[in-house]
C-alpha cells in the first residue's frame, strides 16, 4: 500500500513551488515518515525554517510552522524551544541559509546542545535566487557568480556541526530516501542538538550550469560518491578520494541538554531564595 | 504602609518594569550603555521561572525573542546603537507577522561605534523607519527612572494589545543615572495580556481581522496549528501575491496603530506652562529635563516659555503639535542629535510659526543655558 503522506500535508497547499526533479521534496517525504515514526503530536511540533527553496518546506506541513528570515531559523527555534521545552522543534532549510548568513546561529545552537533537530538540505547552491555559489559549492564548479569556476574552499556541514558541539550528526542523500527518515527519526529521538545533512540536488540552478545531463545523472553521482561511515573505516585514503561519508557520523549522550540545564538552574535559584 | 522605594539606575528600573509587566523571556547581546538591562534580567528571570539567554548576536537575540513570543511568552530584548541597527530586519518581521515584543534601545551617539559611553538621541528616526517597507511604529521615550519603569510596563501592554514590536528609547544619561523610584504595588499599574483566540482548533486564522483591527494571536503549542511567515500573507497566514489582499493587509497593519482611536490610546504627552506660551520647547527624554529647567529660568526673565514633552514619540503627536504651532510664535526642538524630530515638527507646523533646533552631539547633555540662548536669539 502506498504511504499516506496526505494526512501530514495541509489541505490545499499542493502543488509545491519546487521544480521538477528538485531534491527537497524527497527530504520532505522523509521528514514526514520520521515524524510519523516518532508519533509526533503535530500540535506540539513547531517546524522552523529560514528563506530559500528548502525553507519553503514547513508551509506544506500540518503543524505549527514558522517561516522566518534568511538564516535565522536556529535562533527563532531557540526562543521557541527555551520557552516551551515540551515542544518538538524541528528546523529545516538550505545550505546557504544555514551555513552562510545563518552560520553563526547554526554553530551556537550546536554549541548549546539544545534539543532541536536540524534537517539541512545541501544542494551546494543558492537555488532560490538563481544559482549563486554557497559556502558548500565545490571548488571549481560553476555558479552564476563564479562564471570562471568557484575559487572558494567549501564547508563540510557535518564536520562543522560536530566541531561546534552538536551531539547527533548524520549525513545521507536524496538518492538514499530510506536512510533519510531513519536518520531523522534517530535525530528526533536524540536528546540534544541533532543535525541531519541531506545532500540533494538543484537541477535548475546548479545541475544545468555544471553539465549534469539530467536529474538522474545528479542522483547517480550522489549514489556513487556516498560511502557509509562503517565501510569507510576499512578503506584507504586513496579509495576515499572525492567521496563523502554517510550514516551516523557522531553520537554522544553525555553532554547536558540546554533546556534541561536551564530548568535545573531555575530550580536551584528558586530553592536558594 | 509606605510604598517600597529604592535608589536605582535607569537600566535596572527598566528590567524591573519588565518583570512587573510579566515578561518571561529575555534574549540579548551585551552592548554599552544597555548592558545592565541584560544583567538585571539574567538575575531576575529565573526567580520568576522565566528564561534568559545571551545569544550570539543582536539578530539572534531578536529572533529568539520573536520565537519566544510565538510560544506564548512576553519577551524582551535590549540594545544600543550598533545592535539596534542589526535588529532592524527582524523588527520588520515582527511588524508584518504581528508578533508582540519589546525592544529597549539605550541610545548613544553614532554612526557606527561612535561614542559608546556617551548619550545620544540619534536613533529616533531609525525607530520610525529603520526597517524596510511600510509599517507602523510605536516608540516611547521616558525621561526619568520612575518613568522608565512605568513606560516599560506600558510598552508590554501596547505590544500585547496591538500585537507588534514596541520600542522604548532612552539615552545613556537616564540609563545610567540613579534616582529614587517608588515601586507600584502589584495590580496598581494595568498589565495587559494578549487576547487568546476563541476559534476552535482547525478554524483559527491568525490574521482574521473581521472582529477588529488586531486579530488575536494563538501560542504555538496551545492547540492551534498555524503558519507564520514574513511574506505578505492572507488572513489564514499563508503567503499571497494577490494585489488586493497584500495592500489591504499592509493598510490594516498601519491603521491598527494610526487610527484615531488607537492614537488616543497610545499617545501620551506632558505639558508644562503651555497655556500662555509664546515659545514652546518641544523636547523628549533627558533633553526635556534641561528644557524644563530652561522654561523656569526663562519665565523668571519674563519670557513666556513652555514645554511640550512627548512620552510617546511614535505615533507622532500630530494634533497637539499642529495646535501649538498655531498658538506660539516659535517652537524650539532641543535634541541630542543634529536634527531629527525637528523635521517632523516642521512638517506638521506647516510654516505657522518659527521652528528652530538646539543640537549637541559631543557626548555631553544639552544644558539649559544653550536652550535659553537659542530662545532669546529666536524671539
Ligand atoms: C537578508 C537576505 N539576504 C538575501 C536574501 C536572498 N536569498 C533568498 S534565498 C537565498 C539563498 C537560499 O539558498 P539555500 O539556503 O541554499 O536554499 P535553496 O534555495 O538552495 O534551497 C538568498 C541569498 C534574503 N532573502 N534575505
Ligand atoms: S531552484 Fe533548485 S532548489 Fe529551488 S526548487 Fe528549483 S531545483 Fe529546487
Ligand atoms: Mg541551497
Amino acid at each position: 500500500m502506498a504511504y499516506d503522506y496526505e494526512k501530514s500535508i495541509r489541505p490545499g497547499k499542493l502543488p509545491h513551488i519546487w521544480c521538477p526533479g528538485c531534491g527537497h521534496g524527497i527530504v520532505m517525504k522523509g521528514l514526514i515518515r520520521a515524524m510519523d515514526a516518532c508519533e509526533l503530536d503535530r500540535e506540539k511540533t513547531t517546524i522552523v525554517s529560514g528563506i530559500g527553496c528548502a525553507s519553503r518546506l514547513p508551509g506544506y506541513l500540518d503543524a505549527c510552522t514558522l517561516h522566518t528570515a534568511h538564516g535565522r531559523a536556529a535562533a527563532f527555534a531557540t526562543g521557541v524551544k527555551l520557552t516551551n521545552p515540551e515542544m518538538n522543534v524541528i528546523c529545516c532549510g538550505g545550505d546557504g541559509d544555514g551555513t552562510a548568513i545563518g552560520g553563526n546561529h547554526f554553530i551556537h545552537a550546536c554549541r548549546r546542545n539544545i534539543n532541536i533537530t536540524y534537517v539541512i538540505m545541501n544542494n551546494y547552491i543558492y537555488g532560490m535566487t538563481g544559482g549563486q555559489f554557497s559556502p558548500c559549492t565545490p571548488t571549481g564548479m560553476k555558479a552564476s557568480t563564479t562564471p570562471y569556476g568557484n575559487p572558494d574552499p567549501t564547508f563540510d556541514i557535518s564536520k562543522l556541526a560536530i566541531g561546534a558541539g552538536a551531539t547527533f550528526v548524520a549525513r545521507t542523500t536524496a538518492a538514499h530516501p530510506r536512510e533519510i527518515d531513519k536518520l531523522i527519526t534517530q535525530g528526533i529521538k536524540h536528546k540534544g542538538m541533532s543535525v541531519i545533512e541531506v545532500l540533494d540536488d538543484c537541477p535548475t540552478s546548479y545541475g544545468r550550469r555544471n553539465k549534469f545531463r539530467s536529474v538522474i545523472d545528479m542522483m547517480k553521482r550522489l549514489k556513487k560518491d556516498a560511502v557509509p561511515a562503517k565501510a569507510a573505516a576499512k578503506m584507504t585514503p586513496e579509495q576515499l578520494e572525492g567521496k563523502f561519508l554517510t550514516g551516523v557520523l557522531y553520537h554522544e549522550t553525555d553532554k547536558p541538554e540546554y533546556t534541561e540545564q536551564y530548568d535545573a538552574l531555575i530550580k536551584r535559584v528558586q530553592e536558594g531564595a | 504602609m509606605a510604598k517600597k522605594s529604592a535608589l536605582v539606575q535607569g537600566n535596572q528600573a527598566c528590567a524591573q518594569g519588565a518583570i512587573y509587566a510579566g515578561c518571561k523571556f529575555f534574549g540579548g547581546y551585551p552592548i554599552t550603555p544597555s548592558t545592565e538591562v541584560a544583567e538585571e534580567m539574567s538575575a531576575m528571570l529565573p526567580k520568576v521561572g522565566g528564561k534568559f539567554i545571551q545569544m550570539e548576536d543582536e539578530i539572534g537575540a531578536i529572533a529568539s525573542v520573536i520565537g519566544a513570543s510565538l510560544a506564548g511568552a512576553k519577551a524582551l530584548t535590549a540594545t544600543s546603537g550598533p545592535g539596534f541597527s542589526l535588529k532592524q530586519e527582524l523588527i520588520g518581521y515582527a511588524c508584518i507577522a504581528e508578533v508582540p515584543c519589546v525592544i529597549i534601545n539605550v541610545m548613544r551617539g553614532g554612526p557606527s561605534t561612535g561614542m559608546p559611553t556617551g548619550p545620544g538621541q540619534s536613533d529616533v528616526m531609525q525607530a520610525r523607519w529603520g526597517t524596510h517597507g511600510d509599517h507602523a511604529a510605536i516608540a516611547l521615550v521616558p525621561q526619568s527612572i520612575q518613568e522608565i519603569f512605568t513606560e516599560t510596563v506600558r510598552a508590554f501592554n501596547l505590544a500585547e494589545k496591538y500585537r507588534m514590536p514596541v520600542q522604548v528609547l532612552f539615552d545613556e544619561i537616564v540609563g545610567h543615572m540613579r534616582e529614587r523610584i517608588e515601586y507600584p504595588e502589584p495590580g496598581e499599574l494595568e498589565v495587559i495580556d494578549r487576547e487568546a483566540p476563541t476559534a476552535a482548533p482547525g478554524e483559527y486564522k491568525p490574521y482574521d481581522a473581521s472582529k477588529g483591527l488586531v486579530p488575536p494571536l494563538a501560542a504555538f503549542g496551545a492547540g492551534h496549528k498555524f503558519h507564520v511567515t514574513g511574506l505578505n500573507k492572507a488572513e489564514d497566514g499563508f503567503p499571497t501575491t494577490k494585489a488586493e489582499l497584500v495592500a489591504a493587509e499592509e493598510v490594516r497593519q498601519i491603521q491598527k496603530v494610526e487610527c484615531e482611536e488607537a492614537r488616543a490610546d497610545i499617545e501620551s504627552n506632558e505639558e508644562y506652562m503651555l497655556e500662555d506660551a509664546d515659545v514652546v520647547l518641544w523636547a523628549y527624554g533627558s533633553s526635556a529635563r534641561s528644557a524644563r529647567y530652561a522654561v523656569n529660568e526663562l519665565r523668571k526673565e519674563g519670557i513666556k516659555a513652555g514645554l511640550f514633552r512627548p512620552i510617546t514619540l511614535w505615533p507622532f503627536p500630530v494634533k497637539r503639535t499642529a495646535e501649538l504651532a498655531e498658538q506660539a510664535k516659535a517652537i524650539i526642538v532641543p535634541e541630542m542629535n543634529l536634527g531629527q524630530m525637528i523635521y517632523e515638527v516642521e512638517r506638521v507646523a506647516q510654516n505657522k510659526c518659527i521652528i528652530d533646533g538646539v543640537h549637541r552631539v559631543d557626548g555631553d547633555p544639552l544644558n539649559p543655558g544653550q536652550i535659553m540662548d537659542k530662545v532669546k536669539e529666536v524671539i
Side-chain angles (χ1 to χ4, degrees):
Chain A
M1 209 177 75
Y3 196 91
D4 181 9
Y5 292 102
E6 225 151 89
K7 67 176 187 343
S8 297
I9 303 273
R10 286 190 160 116
K13 292 302 160 206
L14 293 181
H16 55 66
I17 62 154
W18 296 315
C19 307
C22 176
H24 295 341
I26 300 173
V27 182
M28 180 165 81
K29 286 169 111 178
L31 175 61
I32 291 174
R33 291 194 302 274
M35 286 166 55
D36 288 344
C38 297
E39 297 179 351
L40 293 193
D41 178 352
R42 306 299 207 260
E43 283 158 15
K44 302 256 181 280
T45 302
T46 302
I47 308 169
V48 190
S49 68
I51 297 289
C53 297
S55 291
R56 283 303 190 96
L57 193 157
Y60 304 118
L61 298 184
D62 192 26
C64 303
T65 52
L66 178 53
H67 178 227
T68 71
H70 195 27
R72 314 301 169 200
F76 275 76
T78 297
V80 172
K81 183 72 185 177
L82 189 55
T83 298
N84 184 357
E86 302 297 307
M87 182 88 77
N88 309 300
V89 180
I90 297 169
C91 285
C92 57
D95 50 319
D97 185 76
T99 69
I101 192 164
N104 202 24
H105 309 308
F106 178 72
I107 59 173
H108 287 278
C110 292
R111 173 178 63 82
R112 291 186 189 101
N113 195 34
I114 188 163
N115 192 7
I116 290 173
T117 300
Y118 199 128
V119 179
I120 186 158
M121 286 160 257
N122 181 1
N123 58 6
Y124 324 106
I125 201 80
Y126 290 160
M128 177 160 266
T129 43
Q132 301 75 36
F133 75 101
S134 92
C136 302
T137 306
T139 308
M141 298 303 267
K142 293 261 170 71
S144 76
T145 47
T146 57
Y148 310 112
N150 178 22
D152 279 32
T154 60
F155 257 150
D156 178 324
I157 297 177
S158 291
K159 272 194 188 158
L160 180 67
I162 297 167
T167 46
F168 180 90
V169 179
R171 184 196 283 130
T172 186
T173 86
H176 302 76
R178 293 269 158 263
E179 203 176 36
I180 298 177
D181 55 270
K182 213 181 84 201
L183 293 174
I184 298 177
T185 302
Q186 282 178 265
I188 292 172
K189 289 187 173 160
H190 173 76
K191 194 203 290 172
M193 177 81 177
S194 54
V195 176
I196 292 89
E197 177 188 3
V198 186
L199 300 177
D200 67 352
D201 67 286
C202 168
T204 308
S205 299
Y206 183 77
R208 279 191 314 196
R209 202 172 264 119
N210 286 293
K211 309 265 176 333
F212 285 97
R213 282 190 316 268
S214 66
V215 174
I216 295 170
D217 238 28
M218 300 184 81
M219 287 291 170
K220 276 188 181 153
R221 189 201 66 85
L222 288 174
K223 272 222 152 102
K224 182 169 85 41
D225 290 346
V227 178
K230 278 190 195 124
K234 299 187 200 99
M235 289 166 69
T236 64
E238 292 75 44
Q239 287 171 314
L240 286 171
E241 185 67 32
K243 308 278 185 192
F244 54 82
L245 305 191
T246 59
V248 178
L249 305 179
Y250 188 75
H251 188 194
E252 166 194 344
T253 51
D254 292 340
K255 186 172 171 178
E257 192 277 324
Y258 190 73
T259 62
E260 285 191 358
Q261 283 286 93
Y262 204 91
D263 283 342
L265 178 152
I266 290 177
K267 199 157 168 267
R268 197 153 40 80
V269 171
Q270 290 185 340
E271 279 167 3
Chain B
M1 202 178 80
K3 273 192 201 159
K4 235 180 92 195
S5 70
L7 189 67
V8 292
Q9 198 191 46
N11 286 343
Q12 284 174 312
C14 173
Q16 291 163 351
I19 297 290
Y20 184 98
C23 175
K24 285 284 155 50
F25 187 94
F26 182 94
Y29 191 83
I31 183 165
T32 306
S34 74
T35 302
E36 295 83 3
V37 181
E39 290 173 341
E40 196 70 17
M41 291 305 282
S42 73
M44 288 194 295
L45 273 172
K47 293 184 188 163
V48 296
K51 311 286 169 78
F52 169 92
I53 189 166
Q54 184 169 306
M55 290 296 286
E56 47 277 6
D57 58 30
E58 285 88 347
I59 306 173
I62 178 113
S64 71
V65 159
I66 298 171
S69 181
L70 284 167
K74 288 188 182 177
L76 175 73
T77 188
T79 191
S80 297
F84 192 52
S85 296
L86 284 177
K87 287 184 197 294
Q88 291 302 329
E89 184 196 5
L90 294 187
I91 291 176
Y93 186 94
C95 286
I96 195 169
E98 298 185 72
V99 184
C101 57
V102 176
I103 299 134
I104 306 294
N105 177 8
V106 187
M107 290 184 287
R108 62 195 226 186
S112 190
T113 308
M115 212 188 303
T117 53
Q121 292 183 317
S122 44
D123 299 343
V124 287
M125 277 294 170
Q126 196 184 3
R128 178 64 191 91
W129 294 115
T131 196
H132 59 283
D134 293 295
H135 60 281
I138 301 180
L140 314 179
V141 283
Q143 67 157 6
S144 68
I145 296 348
Q146 186 79 45
E147 204 170 75
I148 286 175
F149 186 101
T150 51
E151 289 305 298
T152 303
V153 175
R154 194 163 75 95
F156 275 97
N157 288 346
L158 295 173
E160 298 294 331
K161 185 169 176 184
Y162 292 95
R163 213 183 137 175
M164 64 181 288
V166 171
Q167 312 170 78
V168 183
L169 315 177
F170 43 94
D171 58 73
E172 188 276 336
I173 300 174
V174 252
H176 281 161
M177 185 169 69
R178 282 172 196 278
E179 280 179 336
R180 184 151 295 280
I181 178 173
E182 260 194 10
Y183 292 111
E185 301 289 338
E188 188 179 333
L189 298 183
E190 184 185 25
V191 168
I192 298 175
D193 295 321
R194 75 185 68 154
E195 190 190 336
T198 49
E203 314 267 291
Y204 173 59
K205 294 197 177 103
Y207 303 94
D208 172 9
S210 59
K211 295 208 180 70
L213 289 173
V214 188
L217 175 63
F220 282 152
H224 299 282
K225 292 175 285 186
F226 63 104
H227 187 59
V228 177
T229 177
L231 287 162
N232 281 109
K233 69 239 172 289
E235 63 172 14
D236 61 4
F238 292 98
T240 183
T241 50
K242 281 198 189 113
E244 68 280 10
L245 291 180
V246 169
E249 270 294 278
E250 288 209 10
V251 169
R252 176 185 62 77
Q253 292 189 348
I254 291 171
Q255 275 305 105
K256 74 177 178 183
V257 176
E258 299 200 347
C259 70
E260 216 164 306
E261 195 188 331
R263 274 178 175 275
D265 181 41
I266 300 166
E267 279 182 22
S268 169
N269 311 304
E270 189 200 12
E271 308 203 351
Y272 181 63
M273 300 216 168
L274 283 179
E275 298 75 20
D276 62 343
D278 292 330
V279 186
V280 174
L281 299 179
W282 196 107
Y284 54 95
S286 62
S287 298
R289 297 170 73 124
S290 302
R292 189 183 177 104
Y293 191 94
V295 167
N296 290 336
E297 293 301 306
L298 288 163
R299 287 268 168 179
K300 281 183 203 159
E301 296 178 25
I303 299 170
K304 287 185 188 159
L307 170 69
F308 178 77
R309 179 173 76 89
I311 303 170
T312 300
L313 200 59
W314 303 112
F316 187 81
V318 175
K319 194 157 153 273
R320 271 310 275 150
T321 303
E323 285 164 4
L324 291 168
E326 297 270 5
Q327 168 194 326
K329 294 197 182 96
I331 298 181
I332 307 294
V333 186
E335 301 181 86
M336 273 188 285
N337 56 44
L338 291 176
Q340 294 199 14
M341 292 312 293
I342 189 173
Y343 295 116
E344 199 68 7
V345 174
E346 266 173 3
R347 187 177 70 78
V348 170
Q350 297 198 351
N351 290 325
K352 298 271 167 52
C353 69
I354 298 167
I355 309 285
D356 209 336
V358 190
H359 310 293
R360 186 152 199 177
V361 288
D362 59 2
D364 279 327
L366 277 167
N367 66 50
Q370 251 181 302
I371 300 172
M372 289 166 67
D373 289 347
K374 174 60 81 177
V375 170
K376 288 175 194 166
E377 176 196 316
V378 167
I379 58 167

